[in-house]
Amino acid sequence: MHSFLSRLNTLFAFTISVLAALTLGVFISTYFEQYHGTVSISANKPIVKHMTDFSANRKKNDLGVLQLNMDMDLNPLFDWNVKQLFLYLTAEYVTPSNSLNQVVLWDKIIERGENAQLNIRDMATKYYFWDDGDHLRSNNVTLTLAWNIISNAGRLLHVRADGSSSFIFPGEYVTSRGKNSGRE
Amino acid sequence: MHWSRKLISRLLRYAIVISTLLMLWKSLILATNCSQPILVVLSGGYSFHNLGDLLFVTNYPADSIRAGDVVVFRIEGRFIPIVHRVIRVHEREDGYVKFLTKGDGNSVDDRGLYSVGQLWLEREQIVGKVKGYFPYLGLFIILLSNLPLLDRLLLRVVT
């Protein structure tokens, strides 16, 4: 009963049990954590273009262009159960055809150990701000930053940061050289 | 005891275990309102989903899907569902809503993955939202899935 294999088997089973208990402990110890934070966001120079969206329905839709300023310090959010933070900036607005629109303009992954303090100035949006239609002119858009807590084991939590900001697009299109110049 | 009695009693014990497991599974499906409440990650392309991780999924109708949510969806004609993040949401007054998704590690959105001519995901194609996560536990299921018949029974997902 004390052969090499049976000892190996016992060792293996014990290791797995301990790992499982540790994981459960990590999960329970951070279950009630809220992970709140405050950020400061602002948008510069918002303009609206009217162009053909080749990635979608090939019709002319409104394209919003703006630059972002963001300040945040997220180092306090990393505890022993946080493997990674997935940050995303959402633009939310209302149009006559859609009562709710949300477009993610920017995202970033911050791993544990990386510097989580960001001071961003005049950054272009990472993704195109296409509207589903042509209702961006004079539209009041709210920018909200949120993060997804990626833990070692546990809930996938989405937390909205305090400190959203809004801006209003101008009422006129910005036209480039020709109306049919397509995507720039 | 006669050998047939022993055999029947053994079969009954197995049947009880299997039917209890099945009942637990079906209750979980009812509780989460989701056809696949637990999924095993198959491919490791995603940033935080590694091979063998377990994902816990729910599908409550009141829990609306918003930008930034990680959802499980299935494309017509494909058996294995995909887990990606919602990056655009457009909802009309009458309640009709459409979504666009993208994998965190990808630079382009998922339109290349949808069916030909499909530009948006609709609510019916979304199996549920990912609510929780447990590492490594699914590796055993992946090993099992290499057996040809069990393939269809097991709940796997690609990222």
Side-chain angles (χ1 to χ4, degrees):
Chain A
M1 284 306 281
H2 296 292
S3 66
F4 176 67
L5 277 181
S6 80
R7 283 182 177 160
L8 204 60
N9 182 34
T10 315
L11 191 62
F12 182 66
F14 186 60
T15 311
I16 298 286
S17 315
V18 168
L19 282 178
L22 268 180
T23 311
L24 221 60
V26 161
F27 164 55
I28 294 177
S29 59
T30 54
Y31 187 73
F32 296 107
E33 188 61 49
Q34 301 277 348
Y35 300 107
H36 282 319
T38 316
V39 303
S40 132
I41 315 169
S42 61
N44 297 338
K45 306 197 267 239
I47 57 172
V48 185
K49 296 189 182 180
H50 191 61
M51 304 167 43
T52 316
D53 187 352
F54 289 105
S55 70
N57 53 9
R58 309 260 165 150
K59 296 206 300 239
K60 285 200 159 218
N61 289 331
D62 274 3
L63 176 67
V65 181
L66 58 138
Q67 295 178 326
L68 299 165
N69 295 337
M70 288 191 275
D71 290 291
M72 63 191 87
D73 182 10
L74 302 177
N75 281 313
L77 290 181
F78 279 95
D79 61 17
W80 56 89
N81 197 19
V82 177
K83 211 164 50 168
Q84 197 186 90
L85 283 183
F86 185 87
L87 308 173
Y88 54 99
L89 182 75
T90 313
E92 200 168 310
Y93 59 99
V94 178
T95 63
S97 51
N98 289 325
S99 57
L100 172 71
N101 297 280
Q102 291 183 328
V103 181
V104 172
L105 297 182
W106 172 86
D107 56 38
K108 183 175 173 59
I109 294 176
I110 303 185
E111 309 264 1
R112 177 163 40 208
E114 279 178 21
N115 177 31
Q117 185 172 356
L118 301 178
N119 299 98
I120 297 171
R121 292 282 170 277
D122 296 326
M123 181 180 67
T125 59
K126 195 169 173 189
Y127 303 112
Y128 286 116
F129 189 163
W130 284 109
D131 180 31
D132 178 37
D134 52 4
H135 302 286
L136 283 185
R137 281 167 298 170
S138 308
N139 203 322
N140 189 344
V141 177
T142 310
L143 290 176
T144 317
L145 187 77
W147 42 80
N148 201 181
I149 308 284
I150 317 282
S151 41
N152 284 314
R155 296 178 300 166
L156 206 66
L157 211 53
H158 294 264
V159 181
R160 291 192 136 195
D162 301 313
S164 56
S165 87
S166 2
F167 65 92
I168 304 187
F169 275 118
E172 297 293 319
Y173 287 136
V174 161
T175 48
S176 43
R177 261 143 298 234
K179 285 225 189 80
N180 297 320
S181 59
R183 192 113 54 112
E184 295 191 329
Chain B
M1 229 200 284
H2 195 254
W3 64 267
S4 62
R5 203 174 209 173
K6 271 195 194 166
L7 180 65
I8 290 177
S9 128
R10 180 173 279 177
L11 282 177
L12 277 179
R13 260 178 290 162
Y14 290 157
I16 287 181
V17 170
I18 291 178
S19 55
T20 309
L21 286 176
L22 208 58
M23 277 195 290
L24 281 175
W25 180 245
K26 289 292 177 186
S27 318
L28 191 61
I29 290 181
L30 278 179
T32 58
N33 193 38
C34 173
S35 61
Q36 310 219 299
I38 304 184
L39 289 167
V40 179
V41 172
L42 258 193
S43 72
Y46 214 149
S47 52
F48 63 91
H49 289 143
N50 301 305
L51 185 67
D53 293 341
L54 278 185
L55 299 176
F56 299 101
V57 186
T58 65
N59 191 25
Y60 305 121
D63 192 11
S64 34
I65 297 175
R66 293 291 167 244
D69 289 344
V70 180
V71 298
V72 181
F73 62 91
R74 186 182 267 129
I75 304 296
E76 320 267 324
R78 311 268 178 86
F79 180 61
I80 297 186
I82 304 178
V83 181
H84 277 169
R85 194 181 293 270
V86 173
I87 57 168
R88 277 177 72 177
V89 176
H90 295 288
E91 182 171 333
R92 286 205 306 243
E93 288 275 333
D94 59 10
Y96 174 75
V97 60
K98 56 191 187 188
F99 312 98
L100 180 61
T101 58
K102 180 178 89 69
D104 282 350
N106 301 340
S107 49
V108 293
D109 57 39
D110 287 346
R111 283 189 169 132
L113 290 175
Y114 302 162
S115 315
V116 177
Q118 181 184 5
L119 291 173
W120 304 94
L121 274 186
E122 302 182 336
R123 187 63 184 85
E124 301 78 51
Q125 295 172 300
I126 294 187
V127 171
K129 282 212 270 192
V130 177
K131 285 302 175 70
Y133 162 83
F134 201 93
Y136 305 125
L137 222 49
L139 282 173
F140 182 58
I141 297 199
I142 292 182
L143 285 176
L144 276 186
S145 76
N146 288 322
L147 302 172
L149 285 177
L150 286 187
D151 233 37
R152 296 241 131 204
L153 289 177
L154 298 173
L155 340 129
R156 297 152 306 148
V157 68
V158 292
T159 56

